[in-house]
Each structure stands twice: as structure tokens, then as C-alpha cells.
Amino acid sequence: VKEKLLTIRKICDTYDIPLIFDEIITGCRVPNFTVANWYGIQPDLICMGKALAGGYPLSVLGGLKKIMSNRDVFVSYTFSGLPVALYRAIEVMHELDDVTLQDFWQRAGNFFDCFQ
């Protein structure tokens, strides 16, 4: 998978196409927080969802300043500013770090190894 994503990154760079990672499902659920971080690939835009807020409804779009600061683009989405979800996202970010996620995945791997 990593090699394919790196190839896509190169194609996007060659043709000046923004690379977008949809991490609605994977964000906060894979080692190193996102697939982008896990594989060391920087997307131009990234979308994340409610896992970021501990299950509360939240959607997040982030990206490069040159794209996000473009005043010709309007972005609006249903769960972009629910106060309780934003509060939970801040709490989740205080609790999570790469070591914690790596430890979680190591323990999960050890658990599943018991059934092989």
C-alpha cells in the first residue's frame, strides 16, 4: 500500500494535483494517528471524523495553507463546530500520542496472536 500511495504522491506532484487523504475511518484508529503519518506521506488535504472526538459527531478538513487560505473556496459541513464534540476532540488529543497508539496496536497484535 505504501508504495502505491508514494506513486500517487509523485503523480500528484508532477501534475500539480492536490493529494487528498480521506481518513474518516482510519484517523485515530491506526498507528501514528493517521495513515498519512504511518506511511510518512504528507497529503495536501486530509479529512477526519468522529474518532478524533472520541465518538462525538465531528468532521475536520485540514491541509496546506496555500489551499486552505484560498478565499474562492467555501467549505461547510454538518458537524464542523458542535461545541461538545470540539471539547471532546481537545480531550482526545491530550490523551493520545504516538506512543499510546503504538502501544495499543502492539497489545492488539499480541491478543490476536493468541488465537493463531
Side-chain angles (χ1 to χ4, degrees):
V1 171
K2 181 177 180 177
E3 293 76 25
K4 290 179 182 180
L5 291 173
L6 286 169
T7 299
I8 293 169
R9 171 79 271 177
K10 288 177 187 176
I11 292 168
C12 288
D13 290 342
T14 300
Y15 295 100
D16 197 29
I17 300 168
L19 176 62
I20 302 169
F21 272 34
D22 179 346
E23 300 228 25
I24 294 294
I25 300 297
T26 55
C28 294
R29 293 182 174 114
V30 296
N32 294 328
F33 192 62
T34 63
V35 169
N37 284 339
W38 193 12
Y39 290 140
I41 301 167
Q42 182 176 342
D44 299 309
L45 292 171
I46 190 167
C47 308
M48 296 183 68
K50 65 184 182 178
L52 183 65
Y56 281 78
L58 180 70
S59 57
V60 176
L61 174 66
L64 297 177
K65 185 175 182 178
K66 70 180 184 179
I67 296 172
M68 296 300 292
S69 64
N70 184 340
R71 301 292 180 208
D72 296 332
V73 176
F74 175 75
V75 178
S76 177
Y77 33 97
T78 304
F79 296 113
S80 62
L82 187 63
V84 69
L86 295 172
Y87 176 77
R88 292 295 299 155
I90 292 168
E91 286 185 333
V92 168
M93 292 301 98
H94 285 294
E95 293 296 323
L96 289 178
D97 60 28
D98 291 345
V99 175
T100 303
L101 285 172
Q102 291 291 8
D103 182 54
F104 169 79
W105 280 101
Q106 180 63 46
R107 290 177 188 215
N110 292 343
F111 175 76
F112 284 114
D113 287 344
C114 294
F115 296 98
Q116 294 182 6

